[in-house]
Amino acid sequence: MIEGRPAQSLSFNPRTRPVVPPIHQSVTYFLDDQAYKDVQEGGLDEIWYGRFRNPTVDVAASEVRRLEAAEAAFMTSSGMGAIATTLLTLLSAGDRIVAARQVYGDTRDLLVRDLPAWGIDVVQVDATNLDEWRDAVASGPTTVVYVETLANPQLDLADLPGIARIARDAGARLVVDNTFATPYCVQPLTLGADVVVHSATKFLNGHSDVIAGVVAGPAELVREVQRRVITLGTCLDPHAAYLVWRGLQTFELRLAQACSTARALAEALAGRADVVRVRHPSLPGYERAEVASRVLRRDGDVVRAGGMVTFTVAGGDERALRVMRGLRIGCEATSLGGVETLVSTPFNSSHFSLTREERIAARIDDGMVRVSCGIEPADALLADFLRALDESS
Ligand SMILES: Cc1ncc(COP(=O)(O)O)c(C=O)c1O
């Protein structure tokens, strides 16, 4: 025999407020006349079906909204979910997007393979060259301009105010992937971007245990993206949203540690004769120092230059592999932004699909190692790298 559902007994005492947000796993909610009315009048604002909105997912989004100084934010199933849903919201067949050439591999595939197949014209430019941006945007009506704050793995910092001015003058929307830099170091919306997208899988979550994404920007635009999340089905699961929320509780602490370790590691590596080149925006010789002075946030005299470091060893890719495999604290693994230091060699991981000539043209040198600094004690991590370098020669 089936008895009536114990709906009332499952309700929370309205005076009980949990410090940690509960995971709302329910896909659906009891309806009554008032609820139907609310849904019909409120539309996207109402919570009545899990693919449309979920309270736990909303809680995670509100943390990112605050960090990115955005009016609104909406979580997605992955970083690619955030990027693809945003671009499919802003672009239609016949439109044109001008995008940086230096973008994450799957973003590149979306740009060069998928968007053209859907009738969208894609023009790619060198992210660091404002003249190329200006010429490309001027050469035809442009709907969207797309760039990553810090390019992977060269760590070239985009001149966001300059690119935003070019986009604005052309009536185009600037979409910025802020995954590498994070809002701890750069808040693109305060520098002229219209929309920020993230792989929340990385520094926002910070624990390498969830795939998630987020879109942040003006409420009206984020609402349009939310509408496409519903039809494309790129919504985030509440358990995953809870993990993002929990990771975000230590975001500033983790980023402060990762940035300071990255700076120390970059300085230590730059002092070695067997390291040909070190890239980190805090170094005095950083190629885009002028842009860094305008774009990166500061704590007094300390520039927030990010937790990623790229360095090139003498001896090419074979030696880069030996260095990476000699590490005892750093993990040989893809991805970035975790509490553990993650190390990879672009030639056989993020950029394996490029020929050597294409990699060199993209300034991915033979012998390059990419490091995502975690929160381990910096002294121990530096010693790990220096020992691995000594033992690899
Ligand atoms: C810069 C950047 N954007 C987007 C993505 C895609 O994120 P996800 O794996 O969460 O879909 C990645 C993944 O590595 C990335 O590095």
Side-chain angles (χ1 to χ4, degrees):
M1 195 180 81
I2 300 175
E3 293 180 8
R5 312 250 170 228
Q8 282 313 114
S9 66
L10 289 178
S11 303
F12 292 111
N13 175 344
R15 289 192 350 95
T16 307
R17 294 188 299 128
V19 171
V20 173
I23 302 174
H24 288 257
Q25 193 60 33
S26 189
V27 159
T28 191
Y29 301 81
F30 286 104
L31 292 167
D32 54 23
D33 286 341
Q34 184 60 45
Y36 287 116
K37 191 164 175 291
D38 290 346
V39 166
Q40 282 155 17
E41 287 171 6
L44 297 183
D45 288 336
E46 295 304 316
I47 294 185
W48 67 308
Y49 185 60
R51 180 161 41 78
F52 301 175
R53 266 188 81 183
N54 172 284
T56 314
V57 177
D58 281 0
V59 167
S62 71
E63 296 279 334
V64 182
R65 187 195 62 69
R66 178 181 61 79
L67 288 170
E68 283 291 6
E71 203 183 345
F74 201 79
M75 304 299 301
T76 56
S77 51
S78 66
M80 286 315 299
I83 295 164
T85 308
T86 300
L87 294 185
L88 292 178
T89 299
L90 298 176
L91 293 161
S92 307
D95 285 344
R96 184 164 179 275
I97 173 172
V98 175
R101 204 170 291 123
Q102 302 93 322
V103 288
Y104 171 62
D106 290 332
T107 306
R108 178 175 175 273
D109 283 353
L110 177 72
L111 290 169
V112 304
R113 222 195 276 154
D114 300 325
L115 293 188
W118 298 329
I120 294 158
D121 187 19
V122 179
V123 180
Q124 288 193 281
V125 298
D126 175 358
T128 65
N129 188 329
L130 274 193
D131 290 336
E132 274 196 38
W133 283 107
R134 202 173 292 111
D135 291 348
V137 169
S139 67
T142 305
T143 309
V144 171
V145 171
Y146 185 92
V147 70
E148 293 179 3
T149 318
L150 262 183
N152 170 22
Q154 310 86 343
L155 303 186
D156 291 328
L157 191 60
D159 182 349
L160 292 184
I163 299 169
R165 210 170 309 119
I166 292 168
R168 199 171 45 246
D169 289 351
R173 296 267 186 45
L174 174 59
V175 180
V176 177
D177 181 337
N178 202 28
T179 301
F180 264 57
T182 84
Y184 185 79
C185 302
V186 182
Q187 288 175 311
L189 296 170
T190 67
L191 299 172
D194 295 288
V195 191
V196 171
V197 290
H198 272 278
S199 169
T201 312
K202 318 295 186 203
F203 286 105
L204 294 182
N205 165 262
H207 292 74
S208 305
D209 59 2
V210 73
I211 295 279
V214 63
V215 181
E220 209 175 307
L221 223 149
V222 170
R223 179 176 288 259
E224 280 303 300
V225 172
Q226 182 192 353
R227 254 179 24 76
R228 289 343 188 277
V229 168
I230 291 170
T231 52
L232 296 173
T234 46
C235 54
L236 187 63
D237 172 81
H239 272 267
Y242 171 75
L243 288 174
V244 173
W245 176 85
R246 191 168 67 169
L248 284 168
Q249 303 315 297
T250 54
F251 174 75
E252 266 119 354
L253 291 172
R254 286 188 284 104
L255 264 291
Q257 174 77 20
C259 288
S260 103
T261 298
R263 193 177 324 117
L265 178 64
E267 279 167 13
L269 293 170
R272 286 188 67 109
D274 58 352
V275 173
V276 180
R277 179 178 295 146
V278 185
R279 293 191 172 118
H280 189 255
S282 69
L283 287 177
Y286 179 61
E287 289 113 318
R288 307 214 11 108
E290 188 278 324
V291 176
S293 72
R294 288 186 287 115
V295 167
L296 295 177
R297 298 175 75 194
R298 293 174 168 273
D299 283 322
D301 287 345
V302 180
V303 181
R304 298 181 177 188
M308 302 296 299
V309 177
T310 303
F311 66 98
T312 303
V313 292
D317 291 331
E318 283 301 313
R319 173 133 186 271
L321 279 177
R322 285 203 300 280
V323 173
M324 181 169 66
R325 289 177 180 170
L327 295 169
R328 292 178 196 147
I329 297 176
C331 311
E332 179 178 352
T334 189
S335 199
L336 61 130
V339 289
E340 61 288 305
T341 293
L342 297 169
V343 188
S344 59
T345 42
F347 88 92
N348 63 355
S349 55
S350 56
H351 294 74
F352 81 91
S353 62
L354 273 62
T355 63
R356 180 171 174 273
E357 288 66 35
E358 285 170 334
R359 283 198 296 273
I360 299 296
R363 305 195 308 116
I364 301 168
D365 321 311
D366 291 335
M368 185 182 263
V369 181
R370 188 188 87 174
V371 185
S372 164
C373 292
I375 60 166
E376 302 93 343
D379 290 353
L381 191 69
L382 262 61
D384 195 32
F385 273 91
L386 300 182
R387 183 196 43 72
L389 275 161
D390 287 341
E391 290 175 3
S392 70
S393 43

